[in-house]
Amino acid sequence: MFAYILRRLALIPLTLLGIIAINFVIVQIAPGGPVEQILAQLKDTAVSATSRVGGGEGVEAGRGSTAASQKSGGNGAYRGAQGLDPNFIAELNRQFGFDQPAYVRFGLMVRDYLSFDLGKSYFRDRAVLDLVLDKLPVSISLGVWSTLLIYLVSIPLGVAKAVRDGSRFDVLSSAAVIIGYAIPAFLFAILLIIVFAGGRYLDWFPLRGLVSDNWADLSWPARILDYFWHLTLPVTAMVIGGFASLTMLTKNAFLDEINKQYVVTARAKGLNERQVLYGHVFRNAMLLVIAGFPATLVSMLFTGSLLIEVIFSLDGLGLLGFEAVVKRDYPVMFGTLYMFSLIGLLLNLVSDLSYHFVDPRIDFAAREV
């Protein structure tokens, strides 16, 4: 097993290289970039300033300048940079590193990533690694607690549904699961705010932030309570829509195992239902559930929490990556992608090791490579 772990760890850099390379090519093809973003802002600032000084005449002058630029055959960058010196635009490209060929920029990025130098944000004037480390606690808090609650709810509920298959409890719980699955997490978050965060009815929970402003002045027990007080609503919103599929997966896995011959044999030996269920069925049925753990955690960490972070004003990795895409902040885009991919690959390895832990008969090290 140790050799298998080493082989998997050795494949991670190659996988990361492929992911980064594919996304780098996509970014090169996509229109717009940080230079165009800056030029567009300068254009808007210039037009606004002119309109304030000269009123309608300034606006008409700006429009005329744009029309003249378009007639001169300038590209999109120059239309967005009307009235700007071409040398200034060339200097912007040089500062961003776009004066170098794409393959050179990609090689430099890969070299820096080997030492976890993720570069510096174009628009935040901070190192990307510092930004990621600052935002990581928020995403980890949402992802880890949501995933744990989803598993703590889904596994017992799925087992209970499998044991009582076709009963009234099974039907009613299935209806609740379907309703929870049908309601988007962000919509449920808004409902929670309206009911419990001072939106219209009760004002029991805070509306923003991971901790209170005076968190540093609180005692340790008060800090822990304050932390979970802020997490209650966003985590609840994420859990509601996340436990449905895992519950049904657990139920179906147990039903499939319960009908197998070894269960009949175990019962014939005189084992009670609890021994059969948790001594034999549980270990085999949990393989499928464990397989979905990395996907669930990654989803909660980096995708499912995006709108939740926005709604509850939680400044995490999801919001950071989204803003980087909108602003074309390439170092932050690729830095967050790099961290997302690395964590996901490590979680996949943890998933394989969990397979072996649950059922030692599964030995990945014995497979042919």
Side-chain angles (χ1 to χ4, degrees):
M1 183 57 69
F2 182 71
Y4 170 75
I5 295 175
L6 290 180
R7 289 199 301 269
R8 287 291 299 271
L9 291 176
L11 286 174
I12 287 179
L14 296 177
T15 308
L16 285 174
L17 179 62
I19 293 173
I20 296 296
I22 292 173
N23 285 273
F24 185 85
V25 172
I26 294 174
V27 166
Q28 303 309 307
I29 299 174
V35 173
E36 286 75 12
Q37 295 276 333
I38 292 178
L39 296 180
Q41 293 175 7
L42 291 175
K43 167 195 167 185
D44 293 340
T45 302
V47 171
S48 299
T50 306
S51 63
R52 283 196 297 270
V53 174
E57 296 179 358
V59 175
E60 293 299 326
R63 291 174 180 170
S65 175
T66 302
S69 174
Q70 292 174 350
K71 290 180 181 179
S72 68
N75 57 25
Y78 284 99
R79 286 200 299 271
Q82 53 177 321
L84 296 177
D85 188 354
N87 293 328
F88 172 73
I89 300 173
E91 178 62 21
L92 277 179
N93 281 288
R94 188 192 66 79
Q95 290 181 4
F96 284 113
F98 297 139
D99 58 329
Q100 298 178 342
Y103 67 88
V104 174
R105 287 184 278 119
F106 179 74
L108 292 174
M109 183 175 66
V110 171
R111 182 201 64 185
D112 294 337
Y113 278 17
L114 291 176
S115 59
F116 275 88
D117 180 4
L118 305 183
K120 190 175 182 179
S121 171
Y122 289 157
F123 302 106
R124 294 174 181 259
D125 196 30
R126 290 188 61 191
V128 175
L129 185 59
D130 292 340
L131 284 172
V132 170
L133 294 178
D134 284 348
K135 314 300 182 185
L136 198 57
V138 174
S139 295
I140 288 179
S141 296
L142 289 175
V144 169
W145 290 117
S146 298
T147 304
L148 287 177
L149 284 177
I150 286 172
Y151 270 75
L152 288 175
V153 171
S154 299
I155 293 177
L157 181 59
V159 173
K161 287 173 63 63
V163 173
R164 300 171 178 84
D165 184 39
S167 66
R168 186 177 181 182
F169 169 80
D170 183 36
V171 174
L172 293 177
S173 59
S174 295
V177 166
I178 293 173
I179 293 174
Y181 184 74
I183 300 177
F186 74 90
L187 188 60
F188 194 78
I190 295 174
L191 177 63
L192 290 176
I193 290 174
I194 293 174
V195 177
F196 297 107
R200 186 169 182 178
Y201 299 101
L202 304 174
D203 191 9
W204 291 353
F205 297 96
L207 188 56
R208 59 183 298 116
L210 191 62
V211 293
S212 299
D213 294 335
N214 64 336
W215 187 80
D217 300 328
L218 301 175
S219 61
W220 277 109
R223 289 185 183 184
I224 295 174
L225 290 175
D226 182 77
Y227 170 74
F228 285 108
W229 183 46
H230 282 76
L231 276 178
T232 299
L233 293 187
V235 168
T236 301
M238 294 177 66
V239 168
I240 289 298
F243 78 95
S245 58
L246 186 60
T247 298
M248 300 309 297
L249 176 64
T250 304
K251 175 190 174 182
N252 294 332
F254 267 78
L255 284 177
D256 184 58
E257 293 295 326
I258 287 174
N259 295 323
K260 289 185 177 179
Q261 184 62 40
Y262 74 89
V263 176
V264 178
T265 304
R267 287 170 176 164
K269 290 181 178 180
L271 298 179
N272 59 43
E273 196 64 23
R274 185 178 184 84
Q275 290 174 324
V276 172
L277 189 62
Y278 293 101
H280 294 76
V281 176
F282 186 83
R283 184 171 63 179
N284 295 322
M286 281 297 98
L287 293 177
L288 285 175
V289 178
I290 290 173
F293 181 83
T296 303
L297 181 56
V298 170
S299 176
M300 290 294 147
L301 279 173
F302 308 127
T303 57
S305 63
L306 173 58
L307 290 176
I308 300 300
E309 289 179 9
V310 175
I311 292 172
F312 289 98
S313 300
L314 298 171
D315 196 7
L317 279 181
L319 184 60
L320 176 67
F322 175 76
E323 291 178 347
V325 172
V326 173
K327 294 180 179 180
R328 301 298 194 273
D329 195 344
Y330 291 159
V332 178
M333 283 174 56
F334 286 111
T336 53
L337 175 65
Y338 178 76
M339 296 302 296
F340 292 168
S341 303
L342 179 60
I343 293 174
L345 291 171
L346 291 175
L347 287 175
N348 283 328
L349 176 57
V350 171
S351 176
D352 287 349
L353 297 178
S354 300
Y355 268 122
H356 181 72
F357 176 77
V358 173
D359 190 349
R361 295 173 298 174
I362 299 177
D363 187 5
F364 293 100
R367 297 185 307 176
E368 294 292 335
V369 180

